[in-house]
Every structure is written in structure tokens, then in C-alpha cells.
Amino acid sequence: MAAIETLVPPAKVAAAGAGSPVTVEARDVNVYYGEKQALKQVDLDVRRHEVTALIGPSGCGKSTFLRCINRMNDVIEGCRVTGRISLDGEDIYDSDLDVVALRARVGMVFQKPNPFPKSVYDNVAYGPRIHGMAANRGELDEIVANSLERAGLLKEVRDRLNDPGTGLSGGQQQRLCIARAIAVNPEVILMDEPCSALDPIATARIEELIDEIRANYTIVIVTHSMQQAARVSQRTAFFHLGELVEAGDTPEIFTSPRDRRTHGYITGRFG
Amino acid sequence: MPNVTFLVATLLLATVAFVIGRRRAVEVGGPRRRDLHSLPSYYGLYVALWCGIPALAVGALWMMFEPGIVDSLVLDALPAGMVPADPHQVSFLQTAIRRLANAAVIPSDADPALIAAAAHYNSLQQTASLALAAVLLAVGIVGLVWARSHISPAMRARNRVEKLIMIALFVCSCLSVLTTIAIVLSLIFESIRFFQAVPITDFLFGLEWSPQTAMRADQVGSSGAFGAVPLFLGTALITAISIVVAVPIGLFVAIYLADYASPRARAVVKPLLEILAGIPTVVFGFFAALTVAPFLRGLGGSIGLDVASESALAAGVVMGIMIVPFVSSLSDDVMNAVPQSLRDGSAALGATKSETIRQVVVPAALPGIVGGVLLAVSRAIGETMIVVMAAGLAANLTVNPLEAVTTVTVQIATLLVGDQEFDSPKTLAAFALGLLLFCVTLVLNLVALHVVRKYREKYD
């Protein structure tokens, strides 16, 4: 157990205060892919301006849960969601809700960097253009520069704004995708294993970035790396076979898990 | 057909060689097959290939040169005065001899010298066949024996067979390239003969096309003008109309299929489109001539336009419908190749489906779409039947889609239909047109390939 304790920097423990308000609230969430039930009765709170890590073995439902929050599951044939997920108290599965507008409020970064085959500038400007967020070119330039700056990419690409985004390195592409998500000014950013396709240096850069932007956004991150979960998150939720086994403050989960399965997973005994 | 007999005999010989080679390998390999480098059948195949391929090659060469040699021997045997000096006359004479040789009943009025020549021809043919059989057998057996004597456990028959197969495949691919070259050369040579009769500048820049040439000096109305401009303008006009029809429809069909259609709708629409692609162009042709053209004429009449009963518009519209499947299926393929992750990325930013398609999918797939459209253009340019039936034969120099025009392919077809003399400019003009058309479609295809290659997106 001592080995795990060293994974958690003391600063993070202090940051994980219990007082922040809840941004995303999930109650009794069940997800079915056709006949197969992928999530069972999940209750989870995601707190404002905190990083919540979803961990668990492959196929445990953590990505499914993530994709419920911006309703990306809608596009999957035969997928059915029951229960209630609310964003700032508003039910996002309400039939009146505008899904497109929801996705502007809940951004997403994918496992594999997926920049559009456009220039770096156009990649970041894509969202603001669609949502009419800039009145003129000057404002758009500002949004793009700002987003790239926040994603820690501006210095590296300042002279390459018109080069194709697909020409950047893997880590830069992923930060470009984060800048692209930031550009529409979302409340929540969902990250689906954002570092699994990156080398350790690029991973460290992204983790730093997550820690920096946490001040302005609520972040939910799916990760296979328990070290990563321990490093970047304030709260951790452990999924297993479609169930939310246990959720709590990250240091607590990693030092004194209540459930036997959590204990087994974080000590590497299974999964 | 003696040739088929020889082919079958050679194949039989090769089969025998296979059996012999395989048996020899088993013998050499001894009780423990493991000593053999390859499976016994590879040794058999090795011997069979060494037996069959040289025999087939010799046979092919023989078939190429035999008729010429036999003919010249027959001519040499003719009485001295009978061989004319003019090569055309000589070929007539040879045809006459061959006809006599194959005739079931010799006509009573035939020239006795020719009958003798025909008999000589037949006997030569027989000798030639026997000789060929002997040569084939000899070559085959030499190959067989040579290959069999090489069989030893250490011989890498498997690798050698691989090499022989590679050579055989290479020869096959050479054949298709050589055929293409042969076609182009024949076009070029006939075109050169045409340009000896008609100046190339008249052909390329002449504004009048009227290929009827006078056979006698007193014939009227047969001036013979060979300006290709009206034909190419007509081709361009009809192609442009068909593209205007096909590109939007094809693209929208592809977008529907790639991003909107449910799997069930897709399962219905795609095969239906393929049926459209499978309709013979002749059927499209009479649909254009009998249904669309009168409809357009009536429609034009009702709004005060004068539409010819055979119009470029009718042909172009129907041709456009015909090439819709080309555009749609190629575009559908390239749009499906755009990774789902890009669509997800766009959707996650709050873009609607149509925004995603307009701003991400179509731009990413554009090179492929352009390539598909250019291929469809080549197809439209080469199309003949629809235009013959629906657009007429009049070589009008016009860009008015309501008038009758004609195209390059239609003129080639009409120039060569029926009995023709193959040395008049009228007939030779077909080759010149063919050559020019070939150049145009070649350039289009090259451009299409270049566009597709250069702007191909690297998604990963």
C-alpha cells in the first residue's frame, strides 16, 4: 500500500476539498446496447472545477458513461439510456433538449488525436464558426489564439497556423484537439483516454495541461493508467462490469478503498 | 481446329510430365520424404512447366510465321507468269488459292494452275502440321527430360516454381500492355495516312465536318470537309450537360448513402443504383430518343422555346442519369473512408450532421470525389449509343443545348458502319478522330489520377 501512497502528491490531497458544487449529476443510469446492458444503476456526482477520473478494466463501462454525458451514444445504433443525468440541474435526456447545443457545453477529447484535415487555425476556429461565436475575423483570431494559448500550444504553432493540423506530432495534435474543445467555451470537458496514443513526454505535457485548465473547466477523464488517475484527478470512480463499484476522493480510493474489487484493481491483482 | 488440338496435346504432355516429375521426386526422396527440399508435387510442377512452357512458346511462334512461309512457298511454285507485281493483286491471288484449298467442291471453271496451287497449299499445310507436331513433341520431351534429370533432394523446386510462376505472370501483364501499344500504334499509322490526304491543321481547326467524299468526279454534294471542331464542341456540350446532371445527383446520393441512410435503406438503394449502372446504353439511348427528347420538345414548346426533336439536352440529361452511379458509388466509397473519428470530433463540438458533412467529410473526401467525377467524364466522352439515338448526326457548330449536335464517337461509328473502302479519307478520318479522342481521355485520366494522388488525405 505504501507504493500507492507515493503516487499521490500531498498537494492534490489538499486540493480535493469537498465543498465544490455538483455540475453533472447521474442517477440510476442504465445503458443498453441492444440486449446487452453496459451500465447498471450508476449514481455519480461530478464536481465543478475538479478532475474526476473514471478507472476500471476494459469493457467496464467507463467510456460508455463518459459518452452519456454529451449524448454521443445517441449515434450508436441500438443504444438506449435510462435514468437521469443532469447538467447544472437540467436533465440532458429531456426530449426538449437541443443535443447540438448540449455538445457545445460539454466538449470531448478522444482517445486518438483526431484533428480535421484542415489548417491548425481552422481546426480551432471550427467550433466558434459553427456557433457564430465571433462577430468578425479579429474576434475569431483572438478566440483561436486564446484557446491555443490555454492548450499550451500557441508557442509551438504560432508560425504554423496555416499548416495542416494533421502534420503536427501526436502530442501536439492532442493538444490541438483540446484547444479545439476549449474554443467553444464548454463547461465540462470529457476526455476518453487522451494519452493512450502518446509517448510519456507528451503524456506528461497533457497531464500538466489538465491540471492547469481545471481552474476553468470541469473535467471527466477516462484512463487506464492508475498513476495518471492518481496524478491528475481529485476524485476517482472505479467501474467494474458495468457497475460503479466505488467513487470518492482520489487519495482515499488509492489508499483505503472500501471495496475488495477496487483494492484488487489498484494493486494490480486483476483487470 | 488443328491449333486447339496442339494446345490440348501440349497440356496432356505437361500433365504426363507432372506425373513423371512427381514420381521421380518420390523415388529420389527415398522412404523418408523429409530429405526432399519441397513437396513432391512441386517437382512435378517444375517438370511440367519446363515441358509445357517452351512447347507453347515454340507453338505460338510457329503459328505466327507458318502462314507467311506456306504462302510464299505456294507462290514460288506457281508458273512464272502468274505472280503479279502489285502486292494487292498478290493478296487477291493468295485469297483465291486459299478459298480453293478449303472449298468442298472445286468449281469447274477454276484455273487449273490455281487448282494445282491449292493442292500444293493443302499438302504444305499437312506437312506443316506434322512438322509442328514433331517439333512440339521434341521440345516438350527435351524440356521434360532436362528438368527430370535435375531432380535431386537438394533442388529447391518450390522456389524455382515460384520464379517460373512470376515469369508467367509477368508475361501476362506484358500482353495487356502490348495490346494497348498495338492499338495506339494502329491508330497512329492509320491517322498518318489520313493526314497525308487531309492537312492536320484542317482537321484540328476546321469548323466544318462533312465527311462524304465524291467517289466519282460528277457526284454532287460531297465536298469532304474534315474539321473536327464541331464534333469536339458537340462532345464537350453533351458531356457538360451530363456532368451538370450527374454531379449534384450523384453527390447527394452518396451523401445520403454514406451518412443518412439507415442500413436497411442502404441495402435497398445501393443495389438499385447498381442496376442503373447495369442498364445497357442502348436502352438508355432509346429511352432518351423516344421518351425524354419528345418530352423536352413538348416542354419547350409549351414555354415558347424551339427544341429540336433530337437535342443535345435530351442526350446529355440521359447520359447524366447513366453516369450517376459512377459518381455516387466512387464518392460513397471515399466518404465512407473518412474516419468515423472525424465525424465524432465534429459532432462533439456541437456540429449538426449536415454541418459535419459540408465542413469535414466532403472536404476530406474531395480529391476522391473529383477523381470519380473525372472518370465519369471520360466515360461520358466515350459514350456513343445515347448520342446516336438522341442527339442526331448533324455536325452543327453550336453551344445551344436545344439543337441537334453530334459527337466524336458517333461520327466514328457512322464512318465505319457498313461496307467501306479502307483507303479513302472518309474511313481513315475515323482513326484520326479515335486518336484525338484517345489523347483527350488519356489526359483526363492522368489529371484524375494526379488529383487523387496529390490531394489524398492522410488521416492518420
Side-chain angles (χ1 to χ4, degrees), chain A residues 67 70 72 75 77 100 103-104 106-108 110 112 114-118 126-127 130-131 166 180-181 184, chain B residues 262-263 340-352 355-357 359-360 363-364 457-460:
Chain A
R67 293 168 68 95
N70 65 347
M72 283 295 279
V75 295
E77 196 93 4
V100 169
R103 292 192 189 131
V106 184
M108 188 161 189
F110 294 82
K112 233 178 88 186
N114 58 349
F116 301 132
K118 299 169 180 290
Y126 184 82
I130 282 178
H131 299 295
T166 42
R180 190 173 74 181
V184 291
Chain B
S262 67
Q340 182 65 31
S341 68
L342 291 184
R343 293 185 169 90
D344 284 351
S346 174
L349 286 168
T352 63
E355 284 166 344
T356 303
I357 287 163
Q359 309 208 18
V360 176
E457 288 296 340
K458 292 168 197 76
Y459 305 116
D460 297 316

Side-chain angles (χ1 to χ4, degrees), chain A residues 213-231:
Chain A
I213 62 175
R214 162 168 85 83
N216 297 307
Y217 306 96
T218 305
I219 294 170
V220 184
I221 177 170
V222 167
T223 175
H224 270 296
S225 153
M226 277 163 295
Q227 288 89 334
Q228 184 171 65
R231 283 192 299 261

Side-chain angles (χ1 to χ4, degrees), chain A residues 23-132:
Chain A
T23 300
V24 178
E25 187 186 67
R27 290 291 176 270
D28 295 336
V29 174
N30 289 288
V31 178
Y32 306 86
Y33 292 125
E35 292 297 300
K36 190 177 161 281
Q37 186 165 9
L39 275 186
K40 296 168 191 161
Q41 294 296 115
V42 172
D43 295 335
L44 184 67
D45 290 344
V46 175
R47 294 196 197 139
R48 185 181 306 275
H49 297 174
E50 281 189 359
V51 178
T52 304
L54 311 182
I55 61 170
S58 295
C60 67
K62 52 195 191 308
S63 286
T64 300
F65 180 75
L66 193 75
R67 293 168 68 95
C68 283
I69 303 175
N70 65 347
R71 291 187 57 176
M72 283 295 279
N73 284 333
D74 288 15
V75 295
I76 296 172
E77 196 93 4
C79 178
R80 198 155 54 81
V81 180
T82 66
R84 186 186 151 88
I85 300 177
S86 57
L87 176 63
D88 294 332
E90 187 187 348
D91 183 1
I92 64 168
Y93 279 87
D94 192 90
S95 53
D96 274 350
L97 181 113
D98 178 1
V99 180
V100 169
L102 169 75
R103 292 192 189 131
R105 288 169 63 193
V106 184
M108 188 161 189
V109 177
F110 294 82
Q111 186 169 358
K112 233 178 88 186
N114 58 349
F116 301 132
K118 299 169 180 290
S119 70
V120 170
Y121 183 96
D122 286 339
N123 260 286
V124 181
Y126 184 82
R129 275 187 179 137
I130 282 178
H131 299 295

